Amino acid sequence: MTTSLAIQGNYQRPSTQDSFDPTLRRQLHCPVVEEITITGKSSVFETPWFKVIGKSVGRETALHYSITTLDYVHVFAVTQNGMFPVVRQFRPALEAITLELPSGHVEVGETPAQAAKRELREETGFVAEELLLLGNLSPDTGRLSNRLWCFFAPRVQASPQREFRPQPDVEPVIYDKSLCNLILNEPAFSSALNRATILMAVAQGHINL
């Protein structure tokens, strides 16, 4: 089984440097993107959940607008008998009910692992004794500046019923069909980031499709 990234110690954001071959770039007549810089930025709109940042990019006169918010966590959990705790909820942005992995924000003062365990317990009532960091991704390279921390939680167990109080707008579901069916045949399971989290677990050898 492939070893996942360690979750102990400091959580470091990935380097912004890439390894694109400069020789190939010259052959393709690519622009020198390293020379593009942010020359100024300021907050233009704020809510309790996010800020809209206007950025001056290189010599462009128009501002580029991006959104800064807390980091995300997604938890791909599997019960001892091979079922998947997920949640149903209404998403106003989509104006539809979705089926999703337990997820949420990394609150101030939390580590990503702490946030992942909390969100799993709060949304589904399951407790993770083991938590494997699959990696962290950019949720949207065009607009969002935060990171998504992806976790795999094997052999999760239900907390005592008296300790679990479902959230009023989140319905916990135990998905008892195959993982392949969840990805391919459930229209409500439409989050690209959820699918990425699952496929990272598959690629690292933690579970089979």
Side-chain angles (χ1 to χ4, degrees):
M1 180 175 292
T2 305
T3 303
S4 66
L5 299 176
I7 63 172
Q8 301 297 325
N10 295 328
Y11 289 84
Q12 300 292 333
R13 286 173 176 260
S15 170
T16 57
Q17 300 299 315
D18 61 40
S19 57
F20 190 77
D21 185 349
T23 303
L24 179 60
R25 182 175 61 222
R26 288 193 295 270
Q27 292 173 349
L28 297 174
H29 304 289
C30 295
V32 184
V33 295
E34 287 84 358
E35 295 180 1
I36 301 173
T37 60
I38 302 297
T39 57
K41 57 184 175 181
S42 62
S43 176
V44 298
F45 181 75
E46 298 186 12
T47 78
W49 298 101
F50 63 84
K51 296 180 182 179
V52 178
I53 307 297
K55 298 181 180 181
S56 299
V57 183
R59 298 179 180 179
E60 295 181 10
T61 56
L63 291 177
H64 175 89
Y65 294 99
S66 61
I67 296 173
T68 180
T69 186
L70 297 172
D71 282 0
Y72 300 150
V73 290
H74 285 184
V75 187
F76 174 34
V78 185
T79 66
Q80 292 181 320
N81 55 354
M83 295 188 288
F84 311 107
V86 293
V87 296
R88 292 180 73 245
Q89 56 190 321
F90 178 78
R91 290 297 195 183
L94 301 180
E95 300 182 15
I97 295 174
T98 63
L99 193 65
E100 301 180 33
L101 300 180
S103 60
H105 285 110
V106 180
E107 301 295 346
V108 176
E110 279 187 315
T111 67
Q114 290 170 338
K117 287 187 174 184
R118 175 181 55 76
E119 291 291 350
L120 177 65
R121 184 181 64 254
E122 289 179 353
E123 294 192 347
T124 69
F126 279 84
V127 177
E129 296 297 331
E130 183 181 5
L131 198 63
L132 305 176
L133 176 62
L134 301 169
N136 71 79
L137 307 173
S138 169
D140 181 347
T141 58
R143 290 295 173 206
L144 295 176
S145 63
N146 65 333
R147 302 296 297 184
L148 164 64
W149 299 84
C150 306
F151 288 93
F152 177 64
R155 299 177 297 278
V156 296
Q157 300 184 45
S159 58
Q161 190 172 6
R162 64 181 181 278
E163 297 180 5
F164 176 54
R165 297 290 183 271
Q167 299 178 14
D169 54 351
V170 178
E171 177 187 354
V173 174
I174 305 300
Y175 192 81
D176 59 0
K177 298 180 182 179
S178 71
L179 185 58
C180 191
N181 192 81
L182 176 63
I183 294 175
L184 298 179
N185 298 320
E186 294 290 353
F189 192 75
S190 59
S191 167
L193 299 178
N194 278 191
R195 291 170 181 239
T197 300
I198 291 174
L199 292 177
M200 289 175 74
V202 172
Q204 293 181 28
H206 298 302
I207 194 169
N208 295 321
L209 277 177

Coordinates of all heavy atoms in Angstrom, one line a residue, residues 103-160:
S103 N -17.3 17.7 4.6 CA -16.3 18.7 4.3 C -16.6 20.0 5.1 O -17.7 20.1 5.7 CB -16.4 19.0 2.8 OG -17.7 19.4 2.4
G104 N -15.7 20.9 5.0 CA -15.9 22.2 5.7 C -14.6 23.0 5.7 O -13.7 22.8 4.9
H105 N -14.6 24.0 6.5 CA -13.5 24.9 6.6 C -12.5 24.5 7.7 O -12.9 23.9 8.7 CB -13.9 26.4 6.9 CG -14.5 27.1 5.8 ND1 -15.9 27.4 5.7 CD2 -14.0 27.6 4.6 CE1 -16.1 28.0 4.5 NE2 -15.0 28.1 3.9
V106 N -11.3 24.9 7.5 CA -10.3 24.8 8.6 C -10.4 26.1 9.4 O -10.0 27.1 9.0 CB -8.8 24.6 8.1 CG1 -7.9 24.5 9.3 CG2 -8.7 23.4 7.2
E107 N -11.0 26.0 10.6 CA -11.2 27.2 11.4 C -9.9 27.7 12.0 O -8.9 27.0 12.1 CB -12.2 26.9 12.6 CG -13.5 26.4 12.1 CD -14.3 27.4 11.3 OE1 -13.9 28.6 11.4 OE2 -15.3 27.0 10.7
V108 N -9.9 29.0 12.3 CA -8.7 29.6 12.9 C -8.3 28.8 14.2 O -9.1 28.6 15.0 CB -8.9 31.1 13.2 CG1 -7.7 31.7 13.9 CG2 -9.3 31.8 11.9
G109 N -7.0 28.5 14.2 CA -6.5 27.7 15.4 C -6.5 26.2 15.2 O -6.0 25.5 16.1
E110 N -7.1 25.7 14.2 CA -7.2 24.3 13.9 C -6.1 23.9 12.9 O -5.7 24.6 12.1 CB -8.5 23.9 13.3 CG -9.7 23.7 14.2 CD -10.9 23.2 13.5 OE1 -11.2 23.6 12.3 OE2 -11.6 22.3 14.0
T111 N -5.7 22.6 13.0 CA -4.9 22.0 11.9 C -5.9 21.4 11.0 O -7.1 21.1 11.3 CB -4.0 20.9 12.5 OG1 -4.8 19.8 13.0 CG2 -3.1 21.4 13.6
P112 N -5.5 21.1 9.7 CA -6.4 20.5 8.8 C -6.9 19.1 9.3 O -8.0 18.8 9.1 CB -5.5 20.3 7.5 CG -4.5 21.5 7.6 CD -4.2 21.6 9.1
A113 N -6.0 18.4 10.0 CA -6.5 17.1 10.5 C -7.5 17.2 11.6 O -8.5 16.5 11.6 CB -5.3 16.3 11.1
Q114 N -7.4 18.2 12.4 CA -8.4 18.5 13.5 C -9.7 18.9 12.8 O -10.8 18.4 13.2 CB -7.9 19.6 14.4 CG -6.8 19.1 15.3 CD -6.2 20.3 16.1 OE1 -6.3 21.5 15.7 NE2 -5.5 20.0 17.2
A115 N -9.6 19.7 11.8 CA -10.9 20.1 11.1 C -11.5 18.9 10.4 O -12.8 18.8 10.4 CB -10.5 21.2 10.1
A116 N -10.7 18.0 9.8 CA -11.3 16.9 9.1 C -12.0 16.0 10.1 O -13.2 15.5 9.8 CB -10.2 16.1 8.4
K117 N -11.5 15.7 11.3 CA -12.1 14.9 12.3 C -13.4 15.5 12.8 O -14.4 14.9 13.0 CB -11.2 14.6 13.4 CG -10.1 13.6 13.1 CD -9.3 13.2 14.3 CE -8.2 12.1 14.0 NZ -7.5 11.7 15.2
R118 N -13.3 16.8 13.0 CA -14.5 17.5 13.5 C -15.6 17.5 12.5 O -16.8 17.2 12.8 CB -14.1 19.0 13.8 CG -15.3 19.9 14.2 CD -14.9 21.3 14.5 NE -14.2 21.9 13.4 CZ -14.7 22.4 12.3 NH1 -16.0 22.3 12.1 NH2 -14.0 22.9 11.4
E119 N -15.3 17.8 11.2 CA -16.4 17.8 10.2 C -17.0 16.5 10.0 O -18.2 16.3 9.8 CB -15.8 18.4 8.9 CG -15.4 19.8 8.9 CD -16.6 20.8 8.9 OE1 -17.8 20.3 8.8 OE2 -16.5 22.0 9.1
L120 N -16.2 15.4 10.0 CA -16.7 14.1 9.9 C -17.7 13.7 11.0 O -18.8 13.2 10.8 CB -15.6 13.1 9.9 CG -16.0 11.6 9.8 CD1 -16.6 11.3 8.5 CD2 -14.7 10.7 10.0
R121 N -17.3 14.1 12.2 CA -18.1 13.8 13.4 C -19.4 14.6 13.4 O -20.5 14.1 13.6 CB -17.3 14.1 14.7 CG -18.1 13.7 15.9 CD -17.3 14.0 17.2 NE -17.0 15.4 17.3 CZ -15.9 16.0 17.1 NH1 -14.8 15.3 16.7 NH2 -15.7 17.3 17.3
E122 N -19.3 15.9 13.1 CA -20.4 16.8 13.1 C -21.4 16.5 12.0 O -22.7 16.6 12.3 CB -20.0 18.3 13.0 CG -19.2 18.9 14.2 CD -18.8 20.3 14.0 OE1 -18.9 20.8 12.8 OE2 -18.3 20.9 14.9
E123 N -21.0 16.2 10.8 CA -21.9 16.0 9.7 C -22.4 14.6 9.6 O -23.6 14.4 9.1 CB -21.2 16.4 8.4 CG -20.9 17.9 8.3 CD -20.5 18.3 6.9 OE1 -20.2 17.4 6.1 OE2 -20.5 19.5 6.7
T124 N -21.7 13.6 10.0 CA -22.1 12.2 9.8 C -22.3 11.4 11.1 O -22.9 10.3 11.1 CB -21.1 11.4 8.9 OG1 -19.9 11.2 9.6 CG2 -20.9 12.2 7.7
G125 N -21.7 11.8 12.2 CA -21.7 11.1 13.5 C -20.6 10.0 13.5 O -20.6 9.2 14.5
F126 N -19.7 9.9 12.5 CA -18.7 8.9 12.6 C -17.4 9.5 13.1 O -17.1 10.7 12.9 CB -18.5 8.3 11.2 CG -19.5 7.3 10.8 CD1 -20.7 7.6 10.3 CD2 -19.2 5.9 11.0 CE1 -21.6 6.6 9.9 CE2 -20.1 4.9 10.7 CZ -21.3 5.3 10.1
V127 N -16.6 8.6 13.7 CA -15.3 9.0 14.4 C -14.2 8.4 13.7 O -14.2 7.1 13.4 CB -15.3 8.7 15.9 CG1 -14.0 9.1 16.5 CG2 -16.5 9.4 16.6
A128 N -13.2 9.1 13.3 CA -12.0 8.6 12.7 C -10.9 8.4 13.7 O -10.4 9.4 14.3 CB -11.5 9.5 11.5
E129 N -10.4 7.2 13.9 CA -9.3 6.9 14.7 C -8.0 7.1 13.9 O -7.0 7.4 14.5 CB -9.4 5.5 15.3 CG -10.5 5.2 16.2 CD -10.5 6.1 17.5 OE1 -9.3 6.5 17.9 OE2 -11.5 6.5 18.0
E130 N -8.1 6.8 12.6 CA -6.9 6.9 11.7 C -7.3 7.9 10.6 O -8.4 7.8 10.1 CB -6.6 5.5 11.1 CG -5.4 5.6 10.2 CD -5.0 4.2 9.7 OE1 -5.8 3.3 9.9 OE2 -4.0 4.1 9.0
L131 N -6.4 8.8 10.3 CA -6.6 9.8 9.3 C -5.4 9.9 8.5 O -4.3 10.2 9.0 CB -7.0 11.1 10.0 CG -7.7 12.2 9.1 CD1 -9.1 11.7 8.7 CD2 -7.9 13.4 10.0
L132 N -5.5 9.7 7.2 CA -4.4 9.8 6.2 C -4.5 11.0 5.3 O -5.5 11.2 4.7 CB -4.3 8.5 5.4 CG -4.2 7.2 6.2 CD1 -4.3 6.0 5.2 CD2 -3.0 7.2 7.1
L133 N -3.5 11.8 5.3 CA -3.5 13.0 4.4 C -3.1 12.5 3.0 O -2.0 12.0 2.8 CB -2.5 14.0 4.9 CG -2.3 15.3 4.0 CD1 -3.6 16.0 3.9 CD2 -1.2 16.1 4.6
L134 N -4.0 12.7 2.1 CA -3.8 12.3 0.7 C -3.0 13.4 -0.1 O -2.3 13.1 -1.0 CB -5.1 12.1 0.0 CG -6.0 11.0 0.6 CD1 -7.4 11.0 -0.1 CD2 -5.4 9.6 0.4
G135 N -3.2 14.6 0.4 CA -2.5 15.7 -0.3 C -3.3 17.0 -0.2 O -4.4 17.0 0.5
N136 N -2.9 18.1 -0.7 CA -3.7 19.3 -0.8 C -3.6 19.9 -2.2 O -2.6 19.8 -2.9 CB -3.3 20.3 0.3 CG -2.0 20.9 0.1 OD1 -1.9 21.9 -0.7 ND2 -0.9 20.5 0.8
L137 N -4.8 20.5 -2.6 CA -5.0 21.0 -3.9 C -5.4 22.4 -3.9 O -5.9 22.9 -2.9 CB -6.1 20.1 -4.6 CG -5.9 18.6 -4.6 CD1 -7.2 18.0 -5.1 CD2 -4.7 18.2 -5.4
S138 N -5.4 23.0 -5.1 CA -6.0 24.3 -5.3 C -7.4 24.1 -5.7 O -7.7 23.4 -6.7 CB -5.3 25.1 -6.4 OG -6.0 26.3 -6.7
P139 N -8.4 24.6 -5.0 CA -9.8 24.3 -5.4 C -10.2 25.0 -6.7 O -11.0 24.5 -7.4 CB -10.6 25.0 -4.2 CG -9.7 25.1 -3.1 CD -8.3 25.3 -3.7
D140 N -9.6 26.1 -7.0 CA -9.9 26.8 -8.3 C -8.7 27.8 -8.6 O -8.6 28.8 -7.9 CB -11.2 27.6 -8.1 CG -11.6 28.4 -9.4 OD1 -10.8 28.5 -10.3 OD2 -12.7 28.9 -9.4
T141 N -7.9 27.4 -9.5 CA -6.7 28.2 -9.7 C -7.0 29.6 -10.3 O -6.1 30.5 -10.3 CB -5.7 27.5 -10.7 OG1 -6.4 27.2 -12.0 CG2 -5.2 26.2 -10.1
G142 N -8.2 29.7 -10.9 CA -8.5 31.0 -11.5 C -9.1 32.1 -10.5 O -8.9 33.3 -10.8
R143 N -9.7 31.6 -9.4 CA -10.3 32.6 -8.5 C -10.1 32.4 -7.0 O -10.2 33.4 -6.3 CB -11.9 32.5 -8.7 CG -12.3 33.0 -10.1 CD -12.1 34.5 -10.3 NE -12.4 34.9 -11.6 CZ -11.9 36.0 -12.2 NH1 -11.0 36.7 -11.6 NH2 -12.2 36.3 -13.4
L144 N -9.8 31.2 -6.6 CA -9.6 31.0 -5.1 C -8.2 30.9 -4.7 O -7.4 30.2 -5.4 CB -10.4 29.7 -4.7 CG -11.9 29.7 -4.9 CD1 -12.5 28.4 -4.6 CD2 -12.5 30.8 -4.0
S145 N -7.8 31.5 -3.6 CA -6.4 31.5 -3.1 C -6.2 30.5 -2.0 O -5.1 30.3 -1.6 CB -6.0 32.9 -2.7 OG -6.8 33.3 -1.5
N146 N -7.3 29.8 -1.5 CA -7.1 28.9 -0.4 C -6.7 27.5 -0.9 O -6.5 27.3 -2.1 CB -8.4 28.8 0.4 CG -9.6 28.2 -0.4 OD1 -9.6 28.3 -1.6 ND2 -10.5 27.6 0.3
R147 N -6.6 26.6 0.0 CA -6.2 25.2 -0.3 C -7.2 24.2 0.1 O -8.0 24.5 1.1 CB -4.8 24.9 0.4 CG -3.7 25.8 0.0 CD -3.3 25.7 -1.4 NE -2.8 24.4 -1.9 CZ -2.3 24.2 -3.1 NH1 -2.3 25.1 -4.0 NH2 -1.9 23.0 -3.4
L148 N -7.3 23.1 -0.5 CA -8.1 22.0 -0.1 C -7.3 20.8 0.4 O -6.4 20.3 -0.3 CB -8.9 21.5 -1.3 CG -9.6 20.1 -1.2 CD1 -10.7 20.2 -0.1 CD2 -10.2 19.7 -2.5
W149 N -7.5 20.4 1.6 CA -6.8 19.3 2.3 C -7.7 18.1 2.2 O -8.8 18.1 2.6 CB -6.5 19.7 3.7 CG -5.6 20.9 3.9 CD1 -6.0 22.2 3.9 CD2 -4.2 20.9 4.0 NE1 -4.9 23.0 4.1 CE2 -3.8 22.2 4.1 CE3 -3.2 19.9 4.1 CZ2 -2.5 22.6 4.3 CZ3 -1.9 20.3 4.2 CH2 -1.5 21.6 4.3
C150 N -7.1 17.1 1.5 CA -7.9 15.8 1.3 C -7.4 14.7 2.2 O -6.2 14.4 2.3 CB -7.6 15.4 -0.2 SG -8.0 16.7 -1.4
F151 N -8.4 14.1 2.9 CA -8.1 13.0 3.8 C -8.8 11.8 3.5 O -9.9 11.8 3.0 CB -8.4 13.5 5.3 CG -7.5 14.6 5.8 CD1 -7.8 15.9 5.7 CD2 -6.4 14.2 6.5 CE1 -7.0 16.9 6.2 CE2 -5.6 15.2 7.1 CZ -5.9 16.5 6.9
F152 N -8.2 10.6 3.9 CA -8.8 9.3 3.8 C -8.9 8.8 5.2 O -7.9 8.8 6.0 CB -8.0 8.4 3.0 CG -8.5 7.0 2.9 CD1 -9.8 6.7 2.3 CD2 -7.8 5.9 3.4 CE1 -10.3 5.4 2.2 CE2 -8.3 4.6 3.3 CZ -9.6 4.4 2.8
A153 N -10.1 8.4 5.6 CA -10.4 7.8 7.0 C -10.9 6.4 6.9 O -12.1 6.2 6.6 CB -11.4 8.7 7.7
P154 N -10.0 5.4 7.1 CA -10.5 4.0 7.0 C -11.1 3.5 8.3 O -10.8 4.0 9.4 CB -9.2 3.3 6.7 CG -8.1 4.1 7.4 CD -8.6 5.5 7.3
R155 N -12.0 2.6 8.2 CA -12.6 1.9 9.3 C -13.2 2.9 10.4 O -12.9 2.7 11.6 CB -11.5 1.0 10.0 CG -11.0 -0.1 9.1 CD -9.9 -0.9 9.7 NE -8.7 -0.1 10.0 CZ -7.8 0.2 9.1 NH1 -7.9 -0.2 7.9 NH2 -6.7 1.0 9.5
V156 N -13.9 3.9 9.9 CA -14.5 4.8 10.9 C -15.7 4.1 11.6 O -16.3 3.1 11.1 CB -15.1 6.1 10.1 CG1 -13.9 6.8 9.5 CG2 -16.1 5.7 9.1
Q157 N -15.9 4.6 12.8 CA -17.0 4.0 13.6 C -18.0 5.0 14.0 O -17.6 6.2 14.2 CB -16.4 3.4 14.9 CG -15.4 2.3 14.6 CD -14.8 1.6 15.9 OE1 -15.6 1.3 16.8 NE2 -13.5 1.4 16.0
A158 N -19.2 4.6 14.2 CA -20.3 5.5 14.6 C -20.2 5.9 16.0 O -19.9 5.0 16.9 CB -21.7 4.9 14.3
S159 N -20.3 7.2 16.3 CA -20.3 7.6 17.7 C -21.6 7.2 18.4 O -22.6 7.0 17.7 CB -20.1 9.1 17.8 OG -21.1 9.8 17.1
P160 N -21.7 7.1 19.7 CA -22.9 6.7 20.3 C -24.1 7.7 19.9 O -23.8 8.9 19.8 CB -22.6 6.9 21.8 CG -21.1 6.6 21.9 CD -20.6 7.2 20.6

